Amino acid sequence: MDTLRIGIVGAGMSGDAHADAISRLDDQRVVAIADPVDALREGLAAKYSVPGTYRSWEDLVVDKSVDLVYIGAPNNLHLPIAKAAMEAGKDVVCEKPLARNVAECRAIIEASERTGRKLFIALNHRFWAPNQRVKQMMEASEIGRPFLAVSTFIGNEFARMDDPANWKGTKEKSGGGVVIDNGTHMIDLLRWWLGEAVAVTARSGRLAISAINKEEDTATLAIEFESGVLAELSLTFGARYSAWPKGFCGAGIRTEIFGLDGSIKVGNDGRNLQFIKQGTSYEAVDAADISTGLPTSPQAHFATCIREHTQPIVTAQDGLAALEIVEAAYKSARSGQRERVNA
């Protein structure tokens, strides 16, 4: 395979982000875009000189000029698009979450196994060097045995969440609110760093917005891990204003992990990685100064995996595991009780 030919379904923010990243790579090219909204589709095609455009994703997935399909459509379309694309002989990159629920996620994975096509999930936080360095520090036990993690996502999605006509946050198209959305990123990172989760106690609600057809805009999760680590995860899409981080532009992301011999803080505020270890002084490092030897471009990495038949650093099974925790959180929020993961 020479130039990898990409088709993107969905010309919104995620489609634009993927098209921009792909445009910077010499070994792949976006050849087709599908979106039912004419202005979005044609605007993105013009921006990146994409020759093929479709109103229907059904037409894109059977386009013989497409090798790999990126799915940036609403979550309720992930399963039908992925299944049709793989049955048409295409490999697939799917935005997070992989699906609206565990059952749909397993159906996508089954389609990949049945067709022999590769399936990737764009959990892009694993490609950020500070998060990768945390993984390496945890594997090397640099802060000793961990016992507590405190994680936060402060987001401003107020406009889209409060718009009854927007799909974001609806049960039908999204599968839920902030927990299944950006919560998936945070849950995936906690699991990557701390191991498998066994139980969740969650509280959630529509606390900031007024659109009654939307699910939770705010949630707190207490996650228990097999290792004995306890993690607290706070999430919101309702923060139009935040004093943290300085210059808040709609997303404040931070996780602190405490071990017997040190602690780590990672996030998008100030120095991106900060840590202290027993017998050493405090250190702070910017993302630009961290090199881990791991891939930092999902788009380049997925293409390498296709060409070299290698496993990605984040798999569809990781996407499934994150959704199992999400489902346990939703079950707990409904029951008011502690719920087992994948029970």
Side-chain angles (χ1 to χ4, degrees):
M1 184 185 296
D2 295 319
T3 299
L4 190 65
R5 301 168 300 178
I6 313 293
I8 296 177
V9 179
M13 287 192 298
S14 65
D16 194 336
H18 287 302
D20 180 66
I22 292 165
S23 72
R24 303 170 193 274
L25 302 171
D26 294 332
D27 62 346
Q28 46 192 294
R29 180 190 176 203
V30 180
V31 298
I33 294 171
D35 196 294
V37 180
D38 294 343
L40 285 176
R41 179 185 67 251
E42 300 305 326
L44 197 64
K47 183 177 180 180
Y48 296 106
S49 302
V50 178
T53 61
Y54 298 102
R55 296 196 77 255
S56 166
W57 64 260
E58 290 92 342
D59 293 328
L60 183 143
V61 299
V62 296
D63 184 336
K64 295 186 183 301
S65 72
V66 172
D67 303 309
L68 173 64
V69 175
Y70 273 74
I71 302 174
N75 303 344
N76 63 307
L77 296 176
H78 289 187
L79 173 57
I81 296 172
K83 184 178 177 182
M86 289 186 284
E87 289 175 348
K90 322 294 187 187
D91 296 318
V92 168
V93 175
C94 188
E95 265 298 328
K96 61 77 193 162
L98 197 51
R100 292 178 298 180
N101 52 57
V102 167
E104 289 183 354
C105 186
R106 287 176 176 155
I108 295 176
I109 293 172
E110 186 279 328
S112 172
E113 293 170 347
R114 173 170 48 82
T115 61
R117 305 313 307 181
K118 295 185 183 299
L119 172 63
F120 306 96
I121 181 168
L123 284 165
N124 59 304
H125 287 214
R126 289 208 193 190
F127 292 83
W128 194 47
N131 290 337
Q132 294 173 343
R133 181 71 182 105
V134 172
K135 173 64 172 177
Q136 292 173 338
M137 293 178 74
M138 298 304 294
E139 288 182 334
S141 298
E142 291 189 32
I143 62 168
R145 179 174 63 80
F147 59 90
L148 175 68
V150 180
S151 190
T152 306
F153 174 85
I154 302 298
N156 178 14
E157 279 285 4
F158 192 94
R160 289 200 291 173
M161 286 291 289
D162 205 39
D163 178 2
N166 192 288
W167 68 271
K168 196 172 191 69
T170 63
K171 183 69 172 178
E172 176 189 2
K173 292 189 175 182
S174 183
V178 67
V179 176
I180 198 171
D181 200 303
N182 273 76
T184 297
H185 280 307
M186 308 304 290
I187 288 167
D188 175 65
L189 287 176
L190 288 171
R191 179 178 166 271
W192 195 35
W193 295 329
L194 303 174
E196 299 301 332
V198 295
V200 183
T201 304
R203 298 293 182 270
S204 67
R206 195 169 57 243
L207 307 181
I209 64 169
S210 58
I212 62 173
N213 66 326
K214 300 300 182 78
E215 299 298 310
E216 81 288 348
D217 58 53
T218 302
T220 61
L221 282 63
I223 307 173
E224 303 168 39
F225 290 85
E226 282 184 356
S227 62
V229 178
L230 299 180
E232 177 186 294
L233 174 58
S234 299
L235 306 161
T236 189
F237 268 161
R240 286 183 288 179
Y241 314 100
S242 178
W244 168 85
K246 184 179 180 180
F248 177 69
C249 60
I253 304 169
R254 176 176 60 198
T255 297
E256 296 177 78
I257 303 174
F258 299 89
L260 295 180
D261 300 323
S263 70
I264 302 169
K265 177 184 175 185
V266 62
N268 67 340
D269 54 328
R271 308 300 291 273
N272 301 118
L273 178 64
Q274 303 169 48
F275 55 91
I276 186 167
K277 295 184 285 185
Q278 187 178 51
T280 66
S281 59
Y282 164 88
E283 294 184 51
V285 189
D286 289 329
D289 297 323
I290 299 173
S291 178
T292 65
L294 294 172
T296 55
S297 165
Q299 296 79 15
H301 177 58
F302 296 151
T304 297
C305 292
I306 291 171
R307 290 190 172 99
E308 299 181 3
H309 303 285
T310 52
Q311 284 293 308
I313 64 170
V314 59
T315 69
Q317 292 293 335
D318 292 316
L320 171 61
L323 268 179
E324 289 173 340
I325 299 170
V326 167
E327 280 204 354
Y330 282 139
K331 186 176 180 180
S332 173
R334 292 192 300 269
S335 70
Q337 304 294 320
R338 172 182 180 270
E339 298 290 349
R340 301 283 299 181
V341 174
N342 200 21

